[in-house]
Amino acid sequence: MGLSVIIPTYRNVEFLPELIDSIVRSDFNKEYEVLVGIDSCYDTLNYVYKNQFPSNFKFFFFENKKGPYIIKNTLTELSKFEKLLFFDSDDIMMPSLMSETYSHLDHYGMIKPKYLNFT
């Protein structure tokens, strides 16, 4: 079993490289896929065309604006794995996030998020 990471994006091309790099550098040692839904943003589409990504990264372009809800649901239906992790395109993933999420999903069937306040 593996993990599907689902990321909707709209006009966040400046953040996407750092997010992708943080996913690639994760300590997750099981199979995973990353599904990125580009919501009618040609800047992001051009970025994808100009760069190379690992084979487990899949990009889907939605020509007409759909919104994150529709994109998340569509990519969920296309996902290869039962365990899902939703992420926003302007976030950065901590190296252990996928491992910890997978472990909680595998053991408890759910995760309990923790929030940190930075002041």
Side-chain angles (χ1 to χ4, degrees):
M1 294 301 281
L3 182 69
S4 294
V5 180
I6 296 176
I7 306 167
T9 184
Y10 174 73
R11 291 190 182 169
N12 284 334
V13 71
E14 66 272 15
F15 301 111
L16 202 54
E18 195 168 6
L19 169 61
I20 290 170
D21 187 50
S22 72
I23 293 170
V24 170
R25 288 183 289 118
S26 77
D27 65 4
F28 192 62
N29 60 4
K30 298 191 181 311
E31 188 178 2
Y32 71 94
E33 67 177 351
V34 178
L35 307 174
V36 180
I38 303 168
D39 199 359
S40 72
C41 181
Y42 286 94
D43 289 342
T44 305
L45 183 62
N46 288 332
Y47 167 77
V48 170
Y49 279 137
K50 291 177 182 177
N51 291 279
Q52 291 186 355
F53 301 94
S55 62
N56 59 337
F57 280 72
K58 299 173 188 157
F59 295 87
F60 300 87
F61 184 73
F62 296 80
E63 197 167 359
N64 299 317
K65 185 144 175 47
K66 300 291 183 194
Y69 177 77
I70 298 290
I71 289 178
K72 285 178 183 179
N73 284 338
T74 302
L75 296 181
T76 296
E77 290 177 17
L78 296 172
S79 65
K80 178 175 163 181
F81 302 110
E82 211 172 90
K83 294 174 176 62
L84 306 173
L85 175 60
F86 295 96
F87 229 71
D88 291 325
S89 60
D90 59 352
D91 291 336
I92 297 171
M93 187 176 292
M94 300 301 288
S96 63
L97 181 69
M98 290 195 318
S99 295
E100 289 179 23
T101 299
Y102 185 88
S103 175
H104 280 85
L105 288 171
D106 203 35
H107 189 263
Y108 301 107
M110 57 181 261
I111 60 169
K112 182 179 177 183
K114 287 191 241 178
Y115 296 93
L116 300 174
N117 288 326
F118 297 96
T119 55

